[in-house]
Amino acid sequence: FIPSLFSLVVGAMLFSWIMNPVSGPVAFFMRGLGLTLPNWTNSGAMAVVVICLITNWKVFGYNFVLLLTGLGSVPQNIIDATKMDSIPKWRMIWDIVLPLNKSIAFYVLILTIVQGLQYVFTPISVITQGGPYYGSSNALYHTYLNAFVLYKTGNASALAIVTFVIFLVLLYLEIKFVEGRTNRYE
């Protein structure tokens, strides 16, 4: 859970140092194996992978706590009944635990998407500035770039509205599938 307490700037700088192709610990380890670490900031695909690692590192602990709480909310009498009936553990997980945690898993999915869209801005800004050739950029960074660097406010406004609509759709899905299910069983 500790990485969720760190600033994204600190996380981005830490990963930049760890993944440094010349003097980083990963490059040192790979040199010992006879391999070389490519310059990931010059490759759009590899930069996106490292940026995804940074954001996943940031949200993993919080999502883990939410999912663990969901698993802890499975009634113990149901688990005891499956043990008494000699039901295999994989069957108990597949037929009982997962369906009872479907709403929390969907909530974590929506939260991760929203956090991913929100948190990915800082590593892009700190490490790659959207490069190379906008290969590591996303809609939020393009909105910022159009509004405050290129001064194309019309494009920035359109991108902001599209992003707002995406967030509204995610909010609707969260309310429909998560909030609606919890109220139905009460």
Side-chain angles (χ1 to χ4, degrees):
F1 188 77
I2 290 176
S4 65
L5 303 176
F6 285 116
S7 166
L8 274 171
V9 174
V10 172
M13 297 305 290
L14 182 67
F15 270 84
S16 291
W17 171 71
I18 291 171
M19 300 294 290
N20 186 320
V22 176
S23 61
V26 173
F28 179 74
F29 178 72
M30 289 182 72
R31 254 192 311 262
L33 297 174
L35 303 170
T36 59
L37 183 66
N39 191 356
W40 56 271
T41 57
N42 289 340
S43 168
M46 289 191 67
V48 168
V49 168
V50 172
I51 288 170
C52 287
L53 283 173
I54 294 168
T55 54
N56 286 334
W57 176 75
K58 173 79 173 164
V59 301
F60 178 79
Y62 186 73
N63 291 345
F64 183 78
V65 168
L66 286 175
L67 291 171
L68 189 62
T69 303
L71 289 175
S73 68
V74 175
Q76 187 63 36
N77 58 352
I78 294 176
I79 295 172
D80 292 340
T82 60
K83 288 179 182 175
M84 289 184 67
D85 291 340
S86 300
I87 296 176
K89 286 189 180 200
W90 69 270
R91 199 77 187 153
M92 177 189 65
I93 291 170
W94 189 256
D95 290 336
I96 296 169
V97 174
L98 290 179
L100 286 175
N101 286 298
K102 193 183 324 181
S103 62
I104 191 74
F106 190 74
Y107 175 74
V108 167
L109 173 69
I110 297 294
L111 187 67
T112 303
I113 292 170
V114 171
Q115 286 176 335
L117 289 172
Q118 175 187 356
Y119 288 167
V120 80
F121 176 83
T122 302
I124 290 173
S125 181
V126 170
I127 298 173
T128 65
Q129 291 81 36
Y133 304 110
Y134 303 108
S136 65
S137 186
N138 67 356
L140 292 176
Y141 192 77
H142 270 300
T143 305
Y144 163 77
L145 192 65
N146 282 316
F148 300 111
V149 176
L150 303 174
Y151 301 111
K152 294 180 179 179
T153 55
N155 291 348
S157 298
L159 284 168
I161 289 172
V162 167
T163 306
F164 177 69
V165 168
I166 290 171
F167 281 129
L168 279 180
V169 167
L170 291 173
L171 180 64
Y172 170 76
L173 290 173
E174 193 269 334
I175 288 172
K176 182 176 181 189
F177 291 108
V178 177
E179 302 296 330
R181 288 179 191 238
T182 56
N183 292 337
R184 192 179 325 154
Y185 296 119
E186 289 179 356

